[in-house]
């Protein structure tokens, strides 16, 4: 498929049925095998190397994502529901081996033993046990939904140990060498939360921060784990959030208009509906940025407002010259989360085009928040005095963003899954970030963005679908982009030809690839477990 033109990606509106179309793309290839169930590969297998895998790379590239979309005759409804499959690409001496294992979660075990879906997921509600009598099945409809421990979103590290996580209060410790599940951890035993994000942040000293919701008779509360709590603006309809931002001195919680109707969620079993049925977009609401001081745990009295936007991933945040600069990937609409049902991802032809065209594109943006706002601050004038940014902030405080891209990015469908040289540049001024372009429902290009001039480098090949790029620094690196980019590239229309791609992060040219002789579904997030000695 040739890339859609920039005019294709302008906003259009359907007069016929009032459905909002953000793009006018036609002829998208079917990618149904991206959400096809696969078997695990628990014993390491060799890969076929083409090009060169740099010999200085030594360690495990770990990936997480859904790998099983049916249990017996039951099918999961949403992409986020599939059973967690963990992947390891072991790299040493220019060679690569591959293995995978299904996470040994309680829900995976129960589903497997019963040959049906026993635990409800984000978009799938578990059906009552057919072995129970009618009255028992009827009563089970009135039970509150139980949190799943299907940690299929990301790999995270805590004090040197590796865990997989999702957005519930459960995570699992995993052996990065064998991928065996070692221990189940329940956040709620340490802090009163009903869930936690899959994207914690870590300070240079190793202190880790995360966020989680708690629900009580007083309503919903957002908790910065290890710092403080923030009451929800609407106690019965808190905001959904996938991650948060963090600078050297502040945690930034983004209260966005993707809302969760708690009444709908707790009555999901009774109504035969999954968690996703209670998640909705309210464009009438503004977005609010809450700043929390990491040292004191105090919530900043200034609330920073912006127009309605949705964000899943932040790029970087830092403080400079009395401002907090926050870069993130954002869209002007928040309905996409409910469009990623498995049925949509398996469509073809005009039906697939329609799904894509009715989804809002995501673009990198910058907000500049003035930190020194008080009663003496004048109203009505732009408080952002940074000469290098077109973002604005006026007292109440209302903020507008600066685009971190030029027109060229529109031809690549926007950008998501952003990554930076996290170890050296998180919470600091930086120049480069990497991500996936989205001319399809999943990433179909890799993009390097240079913030000096907002210039792009792109890796693309028709029919290939790269996943989240992960930056691995060269030992002894002196430049921000000294290193490589790793991405698992999915080939849904070619059997057993998925490969690990390695790019030179500086030039964005391909160095080598390691082709895996098994099929791998498109996953979410990963990390590199280095065994390099410096």
């Amino acid at each position: 498929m040739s890339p859609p033109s920039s005019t294709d990606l302008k906003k259009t509106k359907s007069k016929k049925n009032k459905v909002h179309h953000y793009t006018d793309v036609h002829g998208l290839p079917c990618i149904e095998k991206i959400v096809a169930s696969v078997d695990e590969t628990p014993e390491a297998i060799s890969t076929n190397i083409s090009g060169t895998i740099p010999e200085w790379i030594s360690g495990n590239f770990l990936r997480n994502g859904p790998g099983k979309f049916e249990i017996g005759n039951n099918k999961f409804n949403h992409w986020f529901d599939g059973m967690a499959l963990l992947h390891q690409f072991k790299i040493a001496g220019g060679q690569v081996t591959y293995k995978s294992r299904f996470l040994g979660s309680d829900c995976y075990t129960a589903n497997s033993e019963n040959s049906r879906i026993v635990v409800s997921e984000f978009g799938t509600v578990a059906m009552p046990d057919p072995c129970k009598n009618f009255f028992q099945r009827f009563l089970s409809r009135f039970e509150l939904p139980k949190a799943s421990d299907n940690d299929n979103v990301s790999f995270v590290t805590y004090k040197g140990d590796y865990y997989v996580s999702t957005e519930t209060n459960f995570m699992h410790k995993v052996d990065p060498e064998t991928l065996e599940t070692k221990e189940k951890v329940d956040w709620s035993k340490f802090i009163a939360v009903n869930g936690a994000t899959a994207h914690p942040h870590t300070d240079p000293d190793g202190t880790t921060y995360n966020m989680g919701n708690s629900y009580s008779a007083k309503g919903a509360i957002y908790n910065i784990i290890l710092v403080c709590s923030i009451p929800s603006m609407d106690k019965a309809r808190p905001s959904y959030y996938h991650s948060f931002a963090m600078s050297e001195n502040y945690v930034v919680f983004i209260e966005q208009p993707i809302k969760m109707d708690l009444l709908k969620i707790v009555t999901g079993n009774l109504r035969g509906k999954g968690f996703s049925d209670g998640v909705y977009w309210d464009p009438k609401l503004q977005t609010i940025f809450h700043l929390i001081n990491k040292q004191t745990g105090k919530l900043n009295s200034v609330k920073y407002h912006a127009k309605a936007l949705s964000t899943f991933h932040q790029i970087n945040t830092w403080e400079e010259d009395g401002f907090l600069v926050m870069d993130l990937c954002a869209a002007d609409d928040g309905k996409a989360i409910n469009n990623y049902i498995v049925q949509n991802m398996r469509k073809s032809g005009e039906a697939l085009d329609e799904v894509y065209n009715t989804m809002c594109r995501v673009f990198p943006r910058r907000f500049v928040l003035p930190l020194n706002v008080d009663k003496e601050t004048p109203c009505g004038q732009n408080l952002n005095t940074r000469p290098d940014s077109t973002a604005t902030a006026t007292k109440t405080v209302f903020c507008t963003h600066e685009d971190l891209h030029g027109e060229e990015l529109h031809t690549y469908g926007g950008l998501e899954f952003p990554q930076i040289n996290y170890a050296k540049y998180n919470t600091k001024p930086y120049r480069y970030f990497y991500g996936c372009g989205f001319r399809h429902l999943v990433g179909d290009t890799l993009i390097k963005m240079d913030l000096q001039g907002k210039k792009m480098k792109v890796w693309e090949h028709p029919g290939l679908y790269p996943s989240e790029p992960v930056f691995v620094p060269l030992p002894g690196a002196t430049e921000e982009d000294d290193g490589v980019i790793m991405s698992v590239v999915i080939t849904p229309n070619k059997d057993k030809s998925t490969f690990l791609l390695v790019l030179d992060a500086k030039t964005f040219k391909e160095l080598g690839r390691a082709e895996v002789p098994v099929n791998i579904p498109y996953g979410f997030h990963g990390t590199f477990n280095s065994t390099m000695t410096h």
Side-chain angles (χ1 to χ4, degrees):
M1 183 193 78
S2 59
S5 68
S6 58
T7 54
D8 291 335
L9 295 166
K10 300 290 185 185
K11 290 185 179 180
T12 60
K13 204 165 214 177
S14 166
K15 297 177 182 177
K16 195 173 182 181
N17 55 11
K18 303 294 183 184
V19 174
H20 200 147
H21 288 72
Y22 294 92
T23 50
D24 188 24
V25 173
H26 300 280
L28 289 175
C30 179
I31 56 169
E32 62 178 333
K33 290 183 180 177
I34 269 177
V35 285
S37 296
V38 298
D39 295 325
E40 64 181 4
T41 308
E43 300 299 325
I45 57 175
S46 299
T47 64
N48 181 35
I49 305 291
S50 59
T52 302
I53 307 296
E55 295 206 5
W56 60 262
I57 304 175
S58 180
N60 300 317
F61 184 41
L62 305 170
R63 292 276 302 163
N64 194 357
K68 194 177 202 51
F69 299 92
E70 302 86 21
I71 305 291
N73 294 323
N74 295 174
K75 296 180 180 180
F76 289 112
N77 295 327
H78 201 283
W79 187 26
F80 298 175
D81 298 345
M83 293 287 95
L85 181 61
L86 314 181
H87 311 265
Q88 179 212 76
F89 294 84
K90 178 179 281 296
I91 309 170
Q95 297 299 309
V96 181
T97 61
Y98 169 80
K99 70 170 61 169
S100 65
R101 283 184 186 271
F102 282 107
L103 177 67
S105 61
D106 291 346
C107 65
Y108 178 78
T109 302
N111 289 343
S112 301
E113 289 176 350
N114 290 275
S115 295
R116 64 182 182 87
I117 297 173
V118 175
V119 181
S120 294
E121 300 290 345
F122 177 77
T124 306
V125 62
M127 291 294 103
D129 187 348
C131 296
K132 291 182 177 179
N133 63 40
F134 173 81
F135 185 64
Q136 289 172 320
R137 293 201 303 273
F138 176 73
L139 286 180
S140 69
R141 291 285 194 179
F142 294 89
E143 295 174 356
L144 288 175
K146 294 174 182 170
S148 169
D149 66 341
N150 180 32
D151 294 322
N152 66 0
V153 175
S154 66
F155 264 96
V156 297
T157 56
Y158 289 98
K159 296 182 178 179
D161 291 322
Y162 284 79
Y163 296 83
V164 289
S165 62
T166 182
E167 295 179 342
T168 68
N169 50 296
F170 299 114
M171 62 180 183
H172 290 84
K173 186 176 178 180
V174 172
D175 185 327
E177 291 296 328
T178 66
L179 297 183
E180 292 176 339
T181 305
K182 292 298 184 184
E183 179 186 354
K184 178 177 175 178
V185 178
D186 183 352
W187 277 106
S188 65
K189 291 184 177 178
F190 306 101
I191 185 171
V193 293
N194 297 91
T197 82
H199 294 287
H201 277 291
T202 304
D203 272 340
D205 67 0
T207 303
T208 300
Y209 298 82
N210 206 343
M211 282 198 63
N213 282 0
S214 60
Y215 310 116
S216 67
K218 294 181 180 179
I221 294 174
Y222 310 113
N223 299 287
I224 314 294
I225 298 175
L226 298 182
V227 183
C228 78
S229 298
I230 307 168
S232 168
M233 297 295 286
D234 184 338
K235 297 189 185 307
R237 295 177 177 85
S239 289
Y240 167 86
Y241 55 96
H242 182 72
S243 57
F244 61 98
M246 189 180 83
S247 67
E248 181 182 358
N249 295 298
Y250 294 94
V251 166
V252 186
F253 168 56
I254 303 169
E255 192 167 15
Q256 60 186 349
I258 302 179
K259 309 297 284 185
M260 298 185 293
D261 187 323
L262 297 184
L263 181 60
K264 276 192 172 183
I265 291 170
V266 299
T267 59
N269 279 351
L270 180 62
R271 298 180 301 108
K273 299 288 185 179
F275 185 98
S276 61
D277 183 63
V279 179
Y280 66 99
W281 168 249
D282 188 347
K284 299 186 298 297
L285 299 176
Q286 291 185 344
T287 302
I288 304 173
F289 304 128
H290 301 271
L291 270 60
I292 302 94
N293 187 296
K294 287 158 64 177
Q295 279 71 44
T296 66
K298 289 185 178 179
L299 177 64
N300 195 322
S301 60
V302 178
K303 299 289 186 293
Y304 301 85
H305 294 250
K307 70 176 185 178
L309 63 82
S310 67
T311 178
F312 279 75
H313 302 110
Q314 289 71 55
I315 304 170
N316 200 5
T317 306
W318 73 96
E319 301 150 45
E320 191 173 30
D321 301 328
F323 296 95
L324 184 139
V325 185
M326 178 171 58
D327 294 351
L328 47 79
C329 290
D332 294 325
D333 180 284
K335 298 175 185 172
I337 190 172
N338 284 328
N339 285 344
Y340 278 101
I341 59 175
V342 174
Q343 182 182 354
N344 281 349
M345 300 183 74
R346 290 177 175 169
K347 286 181 177 178
S348 60
E350 292 183 2
L352 176 61
D353 296 342
E354 177 71 7
V355 172
Y356 180 84
N357 289 326
T358 55
M359 292 171 64
C360 189
R361 301 295 93 205
V362 179
F363 288 95
R365 296 174 177 174
R366 170 169 294 173
F367 286 91
V368 179
L369 312 184
L371 294 172
N372 303 314
V373 179
D374 55 30
K375 293 178 182 178
E376 306 303 319
T377 303
C379 295
Q381 73 180 52
N382 184 9
L383 304 178
N384 177 17
T385 56
R386 290 172 61 90
D388 62 344
S389 175
T390 59
T392 69
T394 55
K395 190 180 177 180
T396 50
V397 176
F398 189 84
C399 305
T400 67
H401 70 270
E402 170 194 355
D403 289 331
L404 293 182
H405 62 91
E407 279 297 312
E408 186 182 7
L409 187 57
H410 285 272
T411 67
Y412 291 95
L415 181 147
E416 248 292 4
F417 293 135
Q419 289 285 317
I420 63 171
N421 183 343
Y422 189 94
K424 279 201 168 184
Y425 289 88
N426 186 48
T427 74
K428 299 179 179 68
Y430 72 114
R431 179 174 173 178
Y432 304 107
F433 66 89
Y434 313 88
C436 291
F438 271 73
R439 295 180 305 195
H440 211 304
L441 298 183
V442 298
D444 72 332
T445 59
L446 291 172
I447 294 173
K448 176 185 181 181
M449 188 69 73
D450 183 348
L451 292 174
Q452 287 189 10
K454 298 176 182 176
K455 296 172 290 188
M456 290 169 44
K457 286 185 169 72
V458 180
W459 181 92
E460 62 176 320
H461 285 279
L464 302 183
Y465 297 86
S467 55
E468 175 191 61
V470 172
F471 178 83
V472 180
L474 177 74
T478 57
E479 300 290 333
E480 181 181 341
D481 58 350
D482 279 347
V484 299
I485 289 293
M486 293 186 188
S487 174
V488 177
V489 180
I490 310 301
T491 57
N493 299 308
K494 189 177 178 185
D495 193 45
K496 297 180 180 178
S497 57
T498 297
F499 60 90
L500 171 66
L501 173 70
V502 181
L503 301 179
D504 183 319
K506 191 175 287 292
T507 65
F508 228 53
K509 300 294 185 184
E510 180 174 336
L511 297 174
R513 58 177 70 178
E515 192 170 295
V516 183
V518 297
N519 291 322
I520 300 176
Y522 197 94
F524 296 134
H525 299 290
T527 191
F528 183 70
N529 164 226
S530 175
T531 57
M532 291 183 276
T533 56
H534 297 270

